[in-house]
Amino acid sequence: MIHIAQFGAGRIGRIHAANLAAGDSARLRYVVDVDAAAATDLAKRYGATAVDAKTALADPKVGAVLIASSTDTHADYCIAAAKAGKAIFCEKPIDLSLKRVDACLKAVAAAKVPMFVGFNRRFDPSFASLKARIDAGEIGAVEQVVISSRDPGLPPLGYLKVSGGQFRDMTIHDFDMARWLLGEEPVEVMAMGSALVDPAVAKVGDTDSVMVLLRTKSGRLAHINNSRRASYGYDQRIEVHGAKGRMIAGNLTPTSVEKADATAVSADKPLYFFLERYAEAYRNELAAFVTALAKKKKMPVDANDGRRALALAEAALESCRRGRAVKVLG
């Protein structure tokens, strides 16, 4: 039984705590949050104890930490956990600064502790099947990847001000998926962004609609399109084109019922938001982390994956500002 200290009792923290409680290989021992009431409430719900960070990290029974707190705390908690000799599960991004991420990775490497980064979409059953079948050679060598990812609506402007921007906060998931599906590291990025959903987004220095092109050294290409507004629900689709054919992973809907009559053919809209769409992915990624710890295997998504996705986000930001393609550094 692996005892876990969780940092963060907000929306994502509640998801992870529930998934920990539902499993039988790990136990939520502590909850840490700056909001003491939220920490206490979540801890009581799942038989844990609300404590401060120092207490949680000092307990020798704690084998791992799960960091689901605000982004600006991720690197500090990762470094503290590494120094305490704890395995780490960290939500994306590790930090908004590559320099800070590098300091974090240095501490993790020095402590020789395993670190997992929460790119949950790799663990969605449809996307995981897509990847497995590509790797099995069903469509030959990958040539193009097309990723569509659109939210049903804007988050609060207050959140956008501290999120790090659309590329770091939203597109970073798609950068990770593109790397994963291309099977090669992108070396060049061309990105464009606009504020089409709400002019107020531009006033806080962000975008709500972006398109990105990625190219690998061998010439493989990926296209990512993001929007903060999709009136029909949470739009999550991937197409991979290869030398022998193509495969598509489409949206999930509440039911597969389709109606056809003299006026139209209609079906359910996609599931509304990421909490529903990726519920199984969240369960699967936590199970993968716990299994890797228990079997002392390499983490399926590690700290370097987190760094590389952020490097692509930084390159996209630079491209957007300069209006031209840029090389990916680091």
Side-chain angles (χ1 to χ4, degrees):
M1 178 65 68
I2 299 168
H3 291 253
I4 293 179
Q6 178 172 301
F7 293 75
R11 181 170 61 181
I12 300 300
R14 290 192 294 272
I15 292 171
H16 287 310
N19 289 336
L20 276 172
D24 56 9
S25 298
R27 175 178 176 261
L28 181 63
R29 186 173 181 84
Y30 297 122
V31 177
V32 180
D33 198 282
V34 292
D35 184 337
T40 299
D41 178 69
L42 188 62
K44 285 183 177 179
R45 192 179 309 173
Y46 297 111
T49 305
V51 297
D52 59 28
K54 185 177 180 180
T55 300
L57 293 175
D59 188 342
K61 290 186 178 180
V62 171
V65 299
L66 194 160
I67 300 169
S69 49
S70 58
T71 297
D72 62 326
T73 67
H74 288 183
D76 286 341
Y77 282 145
C78 284
I79 292 170
K83 289 179 177 178
K86 313 298 185 185
I88 301 164
F89 179 116
C90 182
E91 273 294 338
K92 67 81 197 171
I94 299 170
D95 195 82
L96 299 178
S97 159
L98 275 174
K99 183 177 180 180
R100 188 64 176 150
V101 170
D102 287 339
C104 177
L105 268 58
K106 184 178 179 180
V108 169
K112 297 181 179 179
V113 296
M115 180 173 171
F116 180 104
V117 177
F119 285 119
N120 65 299
R121 295 182 189 182
R122 294 194 188 200
F123 300 90
D124 171 76
S126 294
F127 296 165
S129 176
L130 179 72
K131 170 65 171 173
R133 294 174 68 176
I134 290 169
D135 289 349
E138 289 192 27
I139 59 170
V142 172
E143 295 174 351
Q144 297 179 337
V145 173
V146 180
I147 301 173
S148 296
S149 178
R150 302 182 182 122
D151 288 352
L154 275 173
L157 287 176
Y159 172 79
L160 294 181
K161 290 178 182 179
V162 299
S163 70
Q166 190 172 11
F167 291 118
R168 294 190 189 102
D169 174 58
M170 181 181 181
T171 320
I172 195 166
H173 276 294
D174 304 304
F175 289 135
D176 180 68
M177 291 298 291
R179 292 182 56 241
W180 189 50
L181 295 170
L182 285 167
E184 298 177 355
E185 295 297 337
V187 297
E188 189 175 19
V189 178
M190 179 67 199
M192 300 183 74
S194 301
L196 301 176
V197 177
D198 188 341
V201 173
K203 293 180 181 178
V204 300
D206 201 0
T207 57
D208 53 41
S209 307
V210 300
M211 287 194 173
V212 183
L213 290 176
L214 307 173
R215 184 180 64 81
T216 71
K217 187 176 181 179
S218 74
R220 294 182 180 186
L221 300 170
H223 169 254
I224 298 168
N225 64 86
N226 288 162
S227 174
R228 293 284 196 181
R229 174 178 59 196
S231 60
Y232 46 88
Y234 192 46
D235 192 359
Q236 300 285 292
R237 291 171 288 119
I238 293 175
E239 178 178 345
V240 181
H241 180 265
K244 297 179 183 178
R246 66 110 167 108
M247 282 195 286
I248 294 175
N251 283 315
L252 297 187
T253 56
T255 75
S256 60
V257 176
E258 182 183 280
K259 174 189 173 183
D261 59 22
T263 60
V265 176
S266 61
D268 290 348
K269 293 190 294 184
L271 294 174
Y272 184 71
F273 204 28
F274 76 95
L275 297 174
E276 301 94 332
R277 171 62 180 81
Y278 290 117
E280 191 167 359
Y282 279 113
R283 291 193 292 271
N284 291 346
E285 71 168 353
L286 187 57
F289 171 69
V290 172
T291 297
L293 280 183
K295 296 185 177 181
K296 297 183 179 180
K297 291 186 175 181
K298 184 182 183 295
M299 288 294 157
V301 191
D302 62 21
N304 187 58
D305 291 310
R307 190 198 186 282
R308 287 188 176 276
L310 184 63
L312 290 174
E314 292 295 325
L317 274 167
E318 183 182 355
S319 173
C320 200
R321 290 169 184 153
R322 297 191 178 193
R324 63 173 177 81
V326 301
K327 300 294 184 181
V328 181
L329 301 177

